[in-house]
Amino acid sequence: MKHYREFILICDGYDESQQTHNLYMSNRLNQPGEWKAQMVISCRTESLETDYRERFQPGDRNHVSDPSLFQEAVVAPFSIDQIQSYIQQYVTLHRPPWQAEDYNQALEHIPTLKDLVTNPFLMTLSLEVLPRMVDPGQDISTAHITRVGLYDHFIEQWLERGKKRLGEKDLTPQARAAFESLTDEGFARNGIRYLKSLAEAIYKEQGGHPIVEYSQLVDGKSWKAEFFDHESRKLLREACPLTRNGSQHRFIHRSLLEYGLARAIFDPQDRRKRITSNMTARRPESLGSTLSIESQNVFNQMADAIEQEPDIDSPLVWRTIVKDHSLLQFLAERAQQQPVFKQQLFAYIEYSKKDKKWRKAAANAITILIRAGEQFIGADLRGIRIPRADLSYGVFDSAQFKDADLRMVNFRGVWMRQADLRGAQMTGARFGELPFLTEESQANSCAYSPDGKSFAVGLEDGNINVYATSNWERIRTLSGHTSYICSVSYSPKGNQIASAGGDKTVRLWDSETGLLLYPLSGHTRLISKIAYSPRGCQVASASADRTVRLWDATTGDCVRTLHGHDRAVLGVAYSPKGLEIASCGVDLTIRLWNAMTGECFRILSGHTDWVQSVAYSPQGDQIASSSRDMNVRLWDVETGVCRHVLTGHSGDVNNIAYSPNGDQIASASMDSTVRVWEAESGICRQTVTGHTTGVADIVFALDGNHIATCSADKTVRLSDVSVEASRSAMSGHSSTVSCIKCSPNGNIVASCSVDQTIRLWDSKTGESRRTLSGHSDSVFSIAFSPQGDRIVSGSADKSVRLWEVETGTCLHTLTGHSNNVQGVAYSPQGDMVASASDDMTLRLWNLSTGECQLRLIGHTDGVRSVAYSPDGNRIASGSKDSTIRIWEVGTGECLQILVGHTNWVRDVVYSPQGNQLASAGYDKIIRLWDVESGESRGALTGHSDKVTFVAYSLQGDLIASGSWDKTVRLWDAATGQFRAEIGNLVGPVVGVAWNDDDDLVISGGNGSVLKWKVTQEQDACRVRMLWSATNGTLTMAGASVHGVHGLSANNSMLLKQRGAVGEPETLLSETSKKMTTMASTVSKLKESSGMGTALPSIASTLTEQYGQIGKIDHPPRQYCCHYGAT
C-alpha cells in the first residue's frame, strides 16, 4: 500500500504526547521506498518553545528540514462578536439560570473575565459555573472571578453530577457499598483527592504525558493500579473529568491535568483539616472542645508554623515548573488568595539558603510569587539558590543577593535598583537584550547584512556607520550625503549598501571597501525608503515627490518611475519573488504594482492616517502595513482583504519587519516601544521597552531571535525576543508619564501619560484599578476633585475632560483652547476647573454648565501649570515666559507678576496653609514665594538639570521636587534645608505627589509609577520604596555587581550601561583558571602514563568546550545612555 497510496495523517495533541522529535523524520515519511504522507498536527501554543519549527518541518534524507514545506495556522482567541454570539446560542440551547444579558453584564463589569473567555474551553466552563459564583442580588462588579476559581467551581459541579449519575445507576453490590462509603466520607472531597493524586502521579511517573495506558494484566502491580483497579477508584474515575478510549485514560482537557497538579501543590480545602489534625494531636485534653480567644490565637500561631514547614514531597521540590505557564497561573492566583500558600513559598526560598536540595523548589517558588505580583523590595535574599528561576519583570529594589546562586535565571525587564549582587553566581543569566550602541546623532534607519556579520546604521548627520556583529566594533563610516539619512539597506548578496535621505539622492556603496559606486539622482524631494529586489539587480526608492523610482543596481540608471500616489510616498517593498512592489504613503493607501510593467493593479485602503511602512511576508502571501493611526494591518495578498488590525501602540507606528521565517511581525512606534506579534493570528506576544524616545526603525537578525532598533535617543538597541517570561510586564504606562496625583482620601493614585491614557492605581498595593481612555493625543495634566469622585484631565488634543472615578466614564469634554492643555486644577469648592494652555491663556470653566466663565490673558508664551489657592480666591500660573502670575478668580484680574526664574516655569503650587508658593523651573531651581508680598523667600539649589514638578506634604513642612537629573529631593519648607534624596532613578522624574499619610508617589519618564515611605528623623528623612509599577524596562541603577561570577562580557557591559557599579569577574579569567587546571592535569597524566605526545589534541578539546581564548567578545568602548526629550 505504501507504494500506491498517499495519506494525510491527523495527529491531534502533539503537546499531550510529550513528543520531542520530528515525526516526519522519525517515521521517514516521503523518503524513497517509505510512506508518502502529509501531516496535520495540533499543539497548544503555550507548549511551543522558540525553536519549535524544527520539530514539524518535513526534511530530506539527510534530516535537513525544509521551511518551504511547513505551514502553520493559529486558532485565534474569540472576538467580542464571537463571544456574544456564543453566549446567545448557549442560553438558547442549555437554558441556564442566567440570561444572555446577565452574562454580558458580567463580561462588562468583572475585571479579567473578558480575557478569560477568549479561550474556547474557558468560555464554555465560565458559562456553566458563573451563575454559581455570583450570589443572588450581589453587585456583579464586586465579584472577583479568577481562572483558578472557575476551575474550582467547575470541578465541584462536575463531581456533583457524577455522584448523582452514579447514585441513579444500577451498581453491583460491591460497587454500591463502595459508593455509599465514598458518599459518607464526602464524595466531592474524595473525588478531588483522586484528581490531585492522579495528576501528581502522571507528572511524577510519566513526566506529564497525559495519557495513562492501563491493562490489569500488565499494570496490575504498578502505580497505575491504585487509580484504575479498585472498586472505589473505578467509581471516582467515572465521576471525574476523565475520558477512556479502550485502555487509554486521560483528562478531558490538558488544563484539568495542570489544575490537578496545582491543587496537589496547594489545596485550600486541605489546609484547615491538616491543621486541625495536627492541633488535636498537640492540644492538651484540658482545653476541652471549645477554644477560648487566647487558645484560638495560639491555634492560629501554631497553624501558621505548621503550614510554613516546607514539604519535601511537594511537586515543587522534584519538578521545574518555571516554563509551565498554565500551571504557574493557577499557582499565582492561589498565592494571591491564600496567605498561607504564600508563606510556604517564602519558606522554600529561605530554606534554599541552608541546603541546596531546596533550590528547585525555591526557583519555582520565587517564580510563582513574582507572577502573583509579589515585590521583593529591600528583601534579604543573601545566599538563596534559585537556578533557572524566572524573575522577569520582578521588583527587587535594594534587595540583597550577595553570594546567591542565580545561574541561568531570566532577568528580563527586572527592577534591581541599588540591589546588592556581590559575589553572586550568574553564569548563563539572561536579560532579554544586549548592550546598546550610542551614536553621535539620532539613528533613523538600520539593516543587517544577509549573512548577519555586519550591521549598518543611518544617522541624522548624514553618515552611515557599519559594525561587525561579532564584537560590535565600528569597522567604517560611509560619508557623502549632505543631509539626514532616512533609509539604509543591504543588497541580497551583501556586496552593496544602499542609502537615501534628505538630500534627494540614493547612494550605492561597496560594502567591502566602503567606496561609493553610484549616486542616483532624479527625485525632487526627500527619499523616505529604499529596497532591493530579491535578486539584487534593482533598487526601488520611495519619495516625497509622490513617485517610486526603480534603478538598475549595476549601472545606476533609472529604469522606471511609478506614478499614482497623490501625496508623499513613505514606504516601498518588493515581494519575495520580485514580481510585485508595494508602496504606501500620506494618501492613506497601499498600492500594489507589477514590477515588470509598472502597472498598479490594486489599492488597499483602511488606514485613517499616513501609512508609514509596508512589508511582504517571506512567503509572499501577506502584507503588513503600519500607520500614524497607531495600528498595524495585515492584508491578504491574493484578495486584498484586511485580515487583522493590530492595536496596542499609543503612538505612530513608524516601521514594521517580518521575522526571517515569517511567523512574527515586529512594529516600532513613537510610543518608545516595540511590539512583537504573531503573523497568523495578530496576537501580541511581547512588548519590548528601553528606548527613551520614539523608535524609528526595526530589523530582525538572521536567527529570528534578536531584533535591532534605532531611535532619536541616539541609540541602537539589541533585544532577544526568544527569552520567554513567566509573566508580562507590569501595567505601567507604555510611554512617558506626564503628571501624577493622589486622591484626597489617599486611596487612589492617578497618572497620565503621553500614551493618551489616565491610569488609576491602588495606593496601598500598586495594583492597576482602571484605565481611562478617550483623549486622542498625549495627556499632560490631571487633578482630583475635592471629594475625590471626579478627575479632570488636559491633553494635547486641546480638550479638557471630566471623568467619574468609580466607573471611568467621561462625563464632559470641554473645548475652546487652540493648543495643548498643559495644566488643570479643581477649585477647592469643586464647582470650577482652571486650565492652562500653550495658547498662552488660562480658562475657568463652570462645571454645572460646562461653559468657559473667564479667559485669563497676559502671559507672552505657553502656560505650563495652574494652581488654586486653598481658599479658592486666587490662581497662580507658571509659563514658558519665565514668570508666575497671580490672578483674582472673581474678576480675572492679574494681581501680581513674580519674576525670578531664568527659564520656563514648569510647575507652581500653594502650601496647604496658603501663605507660601513654590515654583519649579527649567533653570534647575525651586523658588519659594511669599504669597502676600510676592517676594522671593529663597531659591533651593542642588538639582543638576531641569526641575519638573514640586509638591508640598499634607502638613506643609516638606517640599518634594523632581528633576530631569533622575532624582527627587526633599526640602524643609520653612528653612529650605535639604533633607534627603531619592537617586538612581530611571530617566527624568516627571511627577511628584503626596498622599494622606505622607507617603510620596513619583513618576518617571520611562512610564513607571513608584511609591515611597518618608520617615522624618530630626534633620534628615529616611526613604524606602513601598511599591513599583513599571513598563518592564531593565533597571540596574546603583546595583552592585562587584565580584559577580560567570557574567558574559556582553552582560557585564549591559549592566554597566544600565547603571550597575563594580567590576564582576570576567568569563575570561574563569576560563583561564579552568584551562590552567586542565593543562596541569593533562601534564600529570602524560608524565604518569608515559604517553608523551600520543595523547589526543587537548587544544581542540578545550577549544570545543570553552571557546577560542582571545576571541571572547569585548565591546570596544563604554556606551552611555542618553535620555531624549519627552
Side-chain angles (χ1 to χ4, degrees), residues 690-727:
H691 284 291
T692 57
T693 59
V695 186
D697 199 7
I698 187 169
V699 62
F700 273 92
L702 194 62
D703 62 6
N705 294 329
H706 295 81
I707 56 172
T709 56
C710 60
S711 166
D713 64 10
K714 303 181 182 179
T715 69
V716 176
R717 295 183 181 265
L718 310 168
S719 303
D720 184 350
V721 294
S722 71
V723 177
E724 298 181 5
S726 65
R727 62 191 285 265

Side-chain angles (χ1 to χ4, degrees), residues 431-485:
F431 294 91
E433 56 187 288
L434 300 176
F436 55 82
L437 311 177
T438 299
E439 301 292 352
E440 291 80 8
S441 66
Q442 75 180 47
N444 296 331
S445 181
C446 56
Y448 276 101
S449 63
D451 61 8
K453 293 181 179 179
S454 62
F455 182 82
V457 185
L459 304 175
E460 184 75 8
D461 63 11
N463 291 328
I464 300 106
N465 286 337
V466 182
Y467 296 88
T469 58
S470 59
N471 56 12
W472 292 100
E473 285 189 15
R474 186 188 303 177
I475 52 180
R476 66 177 54 89
T477 297
L478 310 180
S479 300
H481 283 283
T482 58
S483 186
Y484 51 86
I485 305 296

Side-chain angles (χ1 to χ4, degrees), residues 23 67 114 122 134 186 318 404 493 532 713 781 806 814 889 1054:
L23 296 178
K114 192 174 290 185
L122 286 179
V134 180
W318 48 260
K493 294 180 181 179
Y532 274 95
D713 64 10
S781 57
E806 185 65 30
L814 311 178
V889 170
L1054 172 66

Side-chain angles (χ1 to χ4, degrees), residues 101 153-155 234 370 471 525 628 789 845 918 1069 1116 1121:
E101 295 78 16
H153 280 78
F154 175 77
I155 291 298
K234 291 178 182 178
I370 290 172
N471 56 12
R525 297 188 68 184
R628 288 214 317 186
D789 58 340
W845 307 86
S1069 63
C1121 183

Side-chain angles (χ1 to χ4, degrees), residues 550-585:
L550 309 183
W551 311 83
D552 188 302
T554 56
T555 66
D557 295 333
C558 179
V559 297
R560 183 168 285 108
T561 302
L562 310 182
H563 296 274
H565 287 284
D566 57 17
R567 296 185 70 182
V569 188
L570 301 179
V572 65
Y574 279 91
S575 65
K577 293 182 179 179
L579 302 178
E580 298 174 7
I581 294 172
S583 62
C584 62

Side-chain angles (χ1 to χ4, degrees), residues 150-163:
L150 287 173
Y151 278 75
D152 286 342
H153 280 78
F154 175 77
I155 291 298
E156 290 174 9
Q157 187 165 311
W158 186 285
L159 290 171
E160 286 177 9
R161 291 178 179 174
K163 174 187 173 183

Side-chain angles (χ1 to χ4, degrees), residues 903-980:
N903 206 327
W904 295 7
V905 180
R906 179 63 185 88
D907 194 24
V908 291
V909 60
Y910 279 94
S911 67
Q913 295 77 20
N915 61 334
Q916 192 180 75
L917 185 77
S919 58
Y922 275 14
D923 56 7
K924 310 176 190 177
I925 294 173
I926 302 107
R927 289 189 174 271
L928 306 182
W929 309 84
D930 183 276
V931 168
E932 191 63 33
S933 65
E935 295 179 357
S936 176
R937 285 187 173 179
L940 312 183
T941 59
H943 284 295
S944 59
D945 209 332
K946 307 167 187 173
V947 185
T948 54
F949 278 90
V950 63
Y952 281 92
S953 63
L954 299 191
Q955 289 75 30
D957 55 338
L958 287 177
I959 294 174
S961 58
S963 168
W964 273 63
D965 64 10
K966 307 174 193 175
T967 70
V968 170
R969 286 182 163 243
L970 302 181
W971 315 83
D972 187 293
T975 65
Q977 180 183 356
F978 169 72
R979 300 289 298 278

Side-chain angles (χ1 to χ4, degrees), residues 67-196:
S68 67
L69 300 179
F70 173 66
Q71 293 181 320
E72 60 180 317
V74 178
V75 179
F78 279 156
S79 67
I80 296 299
D81 291 340
Q82 289 172 323
I83 290 171
Q84 293 179 342
S85 174
Y86 189 96
I87 289 173
Q88 190 61 55
Q89 294 179 52
Y90 178 85
V91 170
T92 302
L93 184 63
H94 295 282
R95 301 187 181 280
W98 278 13
Q99 299 300 312
E101 295 78 16
D102 298 318
Y103 285 112
N104 288 326
Q105 186 183 2
L107 288 173
E108 187 66 30
H109 292 97
I110 300 176
T112 74
L113 183 58
K114 192 174 290 185
D115 292 332
L116 286 173
V117 299
T118 58
N119 178 295
F121 181 73
L122 286 179
M123 161 67 95
T124 305
L125 187 151
S126 299
L127 296 181
E128 187 166 339
V129 304
L130 267 175
R132 296 181 52 169
M133 299 182 71
V134 180
D135 297 331
Q138 179 184 359
D139 182 356
I140 208 164
S141 64
T142 64
H144 184 60
I145 306 297
T146 62
R147 182 169 177 258
V148 73
L150 287 173
Y151 278 75
D152 286 342
H153 280 78
F154 175 77
I155 291 298
E156 290 174 9
Q157 187 165 311
W158 186 285
L159 290 171
E160 286 177 9
R161 291 178 179 174
K163 174 187 173 183
K164 182 179 179 182
R165 186 176 63 254
L166 288 171
E168 297 171 349
K169 191 175 181 181
D170 185 18
L171 300 174
T172 65
Q174 296 91 338
R176 176 61 61 183
F179 174 74
E180 291 175 354
S181 176
L182 290 171
T183 302
D184 291 342
E185 296 172 5
F187 191 88
R189 185 165 63 248
N190 277 304
I192 291 172
R193 188 181 299 121
Y194 176 87
L195 178 144
K196 294 189 301 181

